[in-house]
Amino acid sequence: MKQQNRRSFLQFLGHSSILAAGSSTILPLLSACNDPKKIVNDKKNEKPIFPIAGIQAQSSDKLVLSEGLSYQILIKWGDPISEKDKFGFNNDYLAYLPLDKTKPHEGLLWVNHEYPDPLFISNFPRKTDAKTKTKDQVDKEMYDVGGSILHIKKNDKGVWEVVKDDKYNRRLNGFTMIPFDWNEPVAGKKEAMGTLGNCAGGVTPWGTILTCEENYQDCYGETDHKNPAKPKHKDSEYGWEHHYKENLTEHYGWVVEVNIKTGEAKKLVSLGRCAHECAQVWRCEDGRLVVYTGDDKNDEHIYKFISAVPDSLTEGTLYVANTEKGEWLSLNYEEQPLLKQHFKSQTEVLIRVREAAKLLGATPLNRPEDIEFDPFTGNVLVTLTNNLPKGDFVGQIMKIEEDSADKTGLKFKADTFLAGGPELGFACPDNMVFDPKGNLWFTSDMSGSLMNREERYKPFGNNGLFVYNAAEDKVIQVASAPMDAEFTGPYFSPDGTSLFLSVQHPGETSKSLMKEEISSHWPDGGENIPRAAVVVISGKALDELMKFDLKK
Ligand code: FEO
Ligand code: CA
Ligand code: CA
């Protein structure tokens, strides 16, 4: 696909001097001699050769990698991280921040733990009414979600390890009390019990983590406002509300800011309440922030928050996108008569932001998931995973070209950047990350029930990790996940030679814990139950991709 050339990229940087917080490791390795169109030249200046050869689609219960790459397991579900805490379930978003910039191979790793699988956590049988769960079973699930903070470092042998029992190692979970960063109570409370549904996220310019509460309705249900006079509770999948009646669903579905050095957290009400996939922060020259977030559900929307003052995630305005007209629509209660007709306050608009967005004419999208900023063009890339009821089973990566370099404008153009399907060899794009050279990497999220089962998904094999070779407009499959698993949370070390990656929900279609009904035994093999784990990918192929400077 068409990329802006280096000259325009440099002009773009000159105009804005802006760097996305999430891309703070990118620029040191991007240089004027690095052109995304020519990744590698051999000595004779022949045709560029991309250092990662790629693999075919796979369907084995293994983590398969392209030649020149290998992986190690950093940590897996249930491993102790301190005297009192264990690593949670279904690790997702990862962010690695060195403690000292001069020591890039030692730092803190934030890990999201998205959702529980009651079968593996407490042998709670499939297809059983969640109301029959005991409090102990619910408590185990609540403990296993949220996030982990880990002190990690690369040892003398080049292996990454968790520093055991370190002062930084801690958990946030379904019991952690977290205040709302807002000027009035949210559904009657100033703080919520727990964080959950922690899917993807982002990093702020000041080094805190944004962890996004996605499918909150699975834990505490949802409130149905179809009859405004009589809101109705819809039961959750996991049934937590039956043991924790004080915990209302309105306390979840927020973006949560976490200080990874102290574990302190707050729920950011200004960014609205929905199935937040991610929160990607752009900092303007004047210090204002523009935060993009996707609501991962069929026919939901993308939002952006523009702060009114520098470095604030509280004071500002939330907008929702109409991608057909290329307009950001304000969700400010005072500016929108329609919102005043339907809601009592700004707080209510933010709690029921999906309904407010639809009233204003937001465009329904095909499951908007992760968002990243293209370091060469400044464009905002958004993965649209799929929308099966609408016949979109492969998804795409959408490109948003804002009309203002600092992204505070309210007009934009939306277009397809990469289309899923057999031609490019991927389906259902989900998490994205740019490496320090500016190459786009992404993962796929075909659901376990369809992957390798439905005829139309069979050519894509298991879920994978991909990199876009912009020089040849090709998508290369770098890795294939074990059975039923999904790669999530790709995040590079600052030098780009280590790629942290989550392997999430291996064996999710297992029918029971009987050995013949377990669909994956990754990573321990044998008759072991599967365990989600964080892996680190490294090797010659990645080193070559990172160290190469284009010879002019
Ligand atoms: Fe948790 Fe939308 O992936
Ligand atoms: Ca996701
Ligand atoms: Ca990302």
Side-chain angles (χ1 to χ4, degrees):
M1 297 285 155
K2 198 163 159 261
Q3 293 258 4
Q4 196 167 341
N5 63 27
R6 186 181 73 224
R7 186 187 167 89
S8 332
F9 170 58
L10 293 174
Q11 280 173 344
F12 151 76
L13 283 179
H15 279 305
S16 60
S17 303
I18 299 164
L19 178 61
S23 313
S24 57
T25 58
I26 287 177
L27 279 189
L29 285 178
L30 285 174
S31 65
C33 59
N34 177 23
D35 185 330
K37 287 185 174 301
K38 293 179 180 174
I39 306 298
V40 172
N41 266 350
D42 66 17
K43 284 179 187 150
K44 293 175 191 159
N45 220 12
E46 288 169 352
K47 198 179 171 203
I49 300 166
F50 198 82
I52 299 177
I55 56 171
Q56 299 297 311
Q58 310 277 318
S59 55
S60 67
D61 189 26
K62 289 185 179 141
L63 197 171
V64 181
L65 281 163
S66 183
E67 198 183 327
L69 294 173
S70 61
Y71 75 94
Q72 64 155 109
I73 289 175
L74 180 70
I75 192 165
K76 58 191 176 189
W77 171 51
D79 286 351
I81 63 165
S82 69
E83 276 185 6
K84 70 179 180 73
D85 275 320
K86 290 186 299 183
F87 193 64
F89 202 80
N90 266 346
N91 39 273
D92 199 308
Y93 176 72
L94 305 170
Y96 170 72
L97 301 178
L99 280 161
D100 173 347
K101 282 195 176 143
T102 64
K103 294 182 188 161
H105 295 145
E106 176 168 5
L108 298 183
L109 185 74
W110 167 265
V111 185
N112 277 1
H113 296 293
E114 189 181 15
Y115 62 95
D117 186 330
L119 175 67
F120 294 118
I121 289 177
S122 67
N123 198 8
F124 187 73
R126 295 276 192 242
K127 298 181 181 164
T128 306
D129 186 349
K131 283 185 186 142
T132 66
K133 256 182 216 168
T134 64
K135 181 166 177 294
D136 184 53
Q137 285 175 315
V138 167
D139 285 355
K140 281 186 177 145
E141 293 175 15
M142 288 170 68
Y143 178 77
D144 259 336
V145 300
S148 287
I149 300 166
L150 307 172
H151 184 174
I152 63 169
K153 65 178 178 188
K154 202 164 157 179
N155 67 21
D156 298 344
K157 293 176 183 151
V159 178
W160 286 90
E161 55 189 18
V162 177
V163 182
K164 289 277 156 50
D165 297 332
D166 188 81
K167 67 171 184 180
Y168 289 113
N169 295 358
R170 69 175 86 228
R171 285 286 319 281
L172 277 77
N173 58 41
F175 298 103
T176 310
M177 297 309 296
I178 304 178
F180 294 106
D181 189 14
W182 194 238
N183 54 14
E184 50 183 75
V186 172
K189 296 272 173 132
K190 288 188 173 166
E191 59 180 2
M193 181 195 279
T195 182
L196 47 84
N198 308 74
C199 188
V203 182
T204 66
W206 49 93
T208 57
I209 299 297
L210 301 178
T211 175
C212 296
E213 298 181 337
E214 191 192 33
N215 288 311
Y216 59 89
Q217 75 285 345
D218 290 344
C219 299
Y220 288 105
E222 181 59 299
T223 309
D224 180 345
H225 291 274
K226 276 196 194 98
N227 178 353
K230 269 195 179 173
K232 264 194 344 205
H233 175 76
K234 291 200 288 191
D235 279 352
S236 72
E237 181 178 338
Y238 301 129
W240 296 1
E241 70 267 39
H242 306 302
H243 290 286
Y244 289 90
K245 294 191 179 0
E246 293 277 293
N247 296 350
L248 303 181
T249 187
E250 285 77 10
H251 301 160
Y252 311 95
W254 304 104
V255 175
V256 183
E257 183 182 8
V258 182
N259 180 332
I260 54 171
K261 289 193 174 160
T262 63
E264 285 169 299
K266 50 190 175 185
K267 299 206 176 193
L268 304 174
V269 175
S270 296
L271 271 57
R273 173 177 166 268
C274 60
H276 288 284
E277 173 78 19
C278 68
Q280 195 66 18
V281 184
W282 183 270
R283 188 170 193 271
C284 302
E285 228 172 26
D286 62 10
R288 281 181 300 157
L289 306 178
V290 185
V291 187
Y292 291 81
T293 180
D295 181 1
D296 180 8
K297 191 180 174 201
N298 281 345
D299 303 325
E300 290 300 336
H301 317 294
I302 51 172
Y303 298 84
K304 81 170 178 182
F305 169 82
I306 306 177
S307 72
V309 293
D311 296 328
S312 175
L313 291 166
T314 304
E315 287 180 61
T317 303
L318 187 66
Y319 298 84
V320 66
N322 180 315
T323 56
E324 287 145 344
K325 291 183 182 163
E327 286 174 6
W328 290 104
L329 313 166
S330 166
L331 287 153
N332 184 327
Y333 185 73
E334 299 302 329
E335 288 173 11
Q336 299 282 15
L338 256 181
L339 297 184
K340 286 198 161 176
Q341 280 173 32
H342 286 83
F343 299 100
K344 292 191 203 88
S345 64
Q346 183 71 62
T347 304
E348 196 176 33
V349 167
L350 293 168
I351 291 174
R352 294 164 57 192
V353 77
R354 287 172 164 170
E355 294 165 70
K358 283 170 191 62
L359 277 175
L360 299 178
T363 305
L365 297 170
N366 295 353
R367 291 190 53 201
E369 294 216 64
D370 205 6
I371 296 176
E372 290 285 338
F373 307 126
D374 185 328
F376 289 103
T377 62
N379 289 336
V380 183
L381 301 186
V382 183
T383 47
L384 302 178
T385 294
N386 59 32
N387 191 328
L388 300 181
K390 284 195 167 163
D392 175 7
F393 72 101
V394 289
Q396 63 159 291
I397 301 177
M398 180 173 74
K399 172 180 81 175
I400 287 185
E401 206 172 334
E402 294 277 18
D403 75 344
S404 56
D406 72 358
K407 308 199 189 306
T408 59
L410 300 181
K411 299 269 186 197
F412 65 91
K413 283 193 212 120
D415 204 350
T416 296
F417 181 70
L418 293 175
E423 195 184 334
L424 287 177
F426 73 91
C428 309
D430 189 341
N431 288 165
M432 297 183 285
V433 68
F434 280 91
D435 69 30
K437 284 282 188 181
N439 299 299
L440 172 64
W441 297 64
F442 60 93
T443 61
S444 63
D445 177 15
M446 296 173 284
S447 85
S449 59
L450 303 173
M451 183 168 48
N452 287 321
R453 290 185 167 85
E454 266 209 4
E455 219 39 58
R456 58 188 175 172
Y457 280 107
K458 279 187 180 164
F460 303 104
N462 289 0
N463 277 317
L465 168 72
F466 303 84
V467 61
Y468 177 50
N469 173 357
E472 296 177 53
D473 193 19
K474 275 187 190 160
V475 171
I476 294 166
Q477 182 162 359
V478 181
S480 174
M483 292 305 288
D484 300 348
E486 172 193 355
F487 291 128
T488 54
Y491 203 96
F492 283 90
S493 61
D495 63 2
T497 61
S498 295
L499 170 57
F500 301 100
L501 187 66
S502 280
V503 180
Q504 202 196 38
H505 59 71
E508 72 170 354
T509 64
S510 300
K511 293 193 178 94
S512 76
L513 295 187
M514 285 159 60
K515 65 180 180 190
E516 59 277 15
E517 294 200 317
I518 296 177
S519 60
S520 169
H521 300 282
W522 191 89
D524 298 322
E527 293 178 6
N528 289 295
I529 60 166
R531 287 178 194 271
V534 177
V535 301
V536 192
I537 293 173
S538 59
K540 197 167 147 246
L542 198 50
D543 294 346
E544 281 178 15
L545 189 61
M546 292 304 123
K547 75 186 175 202
F548 188 84
D549 277 326
L550 186 75
K551 305 283 186 296
K552 291 196 84 176

